Amino acid sequence: MFSIIQAAGWPIWPLVACSILALALVIERFLSLQVAKVAPPRLLDEAIAVSRNTVPGPDVVTQLEQNSALGEVLASGLRALNSDPTCTELDLRAHMENTGRAVAHRLERYLSSLATIASAAPLLGLLGTVIGMIEIFGSQSPAGGATGGNPAQLAHGISVALYNTAFGLIVAIPSLIFWRYFRVRVDEYLLTLELSAERFMRHLNNLRRP
């Protein structure tokens, strides 16, 4: 592998950096976008059961908030009622929506960076190709010269061009696939959070004091 990198020349080093960064982002997103950390399936029913007759105390709300992203959204509604039991429905909705926006931003974190790598890697590979072609043409003698081109430099220029093109695609294609995968997964989570928050909002309306 190192010999391939050496043969590709210096233009491949930005692609190597992009590949390492893309791998780190993919691993981080896989760890962060687990179901248990975002929207545990039974959490909404448990939160409704705990607050069926009254608003839970701060300790229970804090435990719910630390459970997951969904728990954070649900806990914001309970905190609003703990702070002001007579708050209006609009105030309650505003608290939950603000928390939801913060959670959504966290779920989408690094996706734009992964998309940027998927877009930039082919261009970096193209840059390496152009540099390799420049070396190829630079190795040729002027027209009418007594000697031909330098075979070693010609071969090096071809290797730079081909290796960079291939490596750019090798980095871009998986990055694009994982970006699409995480994008769909985040959209599904956001829909789940929105529907759960709406259902919990109706439940909290029954707990508000007139």
Side-chain angles (χ1 to χ4, degrees):
M1 183 66 182
F2 186 70
S3 61
I4 294 177
I5 294 176
Q6 281 184 318
W10 67 264
I12 205 172
W13 287 108
L15 285 170
V16 172
C18 286
S19 66
I20 295 173
L21 180 58
L23 179 61
L25 294 179
V26 168
I27 293 174
E28 192 278 337
R29 287 292 84 191
F30 265 121
L31 295 177
S32 298
L33 296 178
Q34 297 177 17
V35 175
K37 292 184 177 181
V38 180
R42 300 181 58 185
L43 182 62
L44 177 60
D45 294 333
E46 292 173 357
I48 292 176
V50 168
S51 59
R52 186 170 300 279
N53 298 318
T54 184
V55 180
D59 293 341
V60 176
V61 175
T62 300
Q63 185 177 0
L64 176 62
E65 185 178 40
Q66 296 174 350
N67 178 274
S68 60
L70 175 59
E72 189 175 343
V73 174
L74 303 181
S76 66
L78 295 175
R79 286 194 186 281
L81 284 184
N82 274 328
S83 302
D84 182 10
T86 62
C87 69
T88 65
E89 181 179 349
L90 289 177
D91 291 337
L92 192 58
R93 185 179 296 275
H95 276 87
M96 296 185 70
E97 286 181 351
N98 289 337
T99 304
R101 280 192 287 268
V103 168
H105 178 73
R106 219 165 46 238
L107 293 179
E108 294 174 342
R109 184 171 52 184
Y110 302 135
L111 292 188
S112 60
S113 300
L114 195 58
T116 301
I117 292 174
S119 301
L123 298 178
L124 291 173
L126 179 60
L127 174 63
T129 303
V130 171
I131 292 174
M133 297 300 293
I134 291 174
E135 291 189 9
I136 291 174
F137 287 115
S139 67
Q140 305 303 307
S141 298
T147 59
N150 185 332
Q153 192 170 359
L154 180 63
H156 177 70
I158 294 174
S159 66
V160 168
L162 296 181
Y163 277 132
N164 280 275
T165 302
F167 204 78
L169 295 176
I170 290 172
V171 174
I173 293 172
S175 298
L176 180 60
I177 292 173
F178 280 113
W179 173 77
R180 289 298 304 166
Y181 169 76
F182 289 131
R183 181 71 266 174
V184 171
R185 194 167 184 178
V186 167
D187 288 343
E188 291 176 351
Y189 280 142
L190 292 179
L191 179 60
T192 300
L193 294 179
E194 183 178 352
L195 296 177
S196 300
E198 188 64 31
R199 180 183 168 192
F200 197 64
M201 177 73 192
R202 293 195 298 269
H203 166 71
L204 293 181
N205 278 331
N206 298 326
L207 297 179
R208 288 191 303 114
R209 295 177 185 174

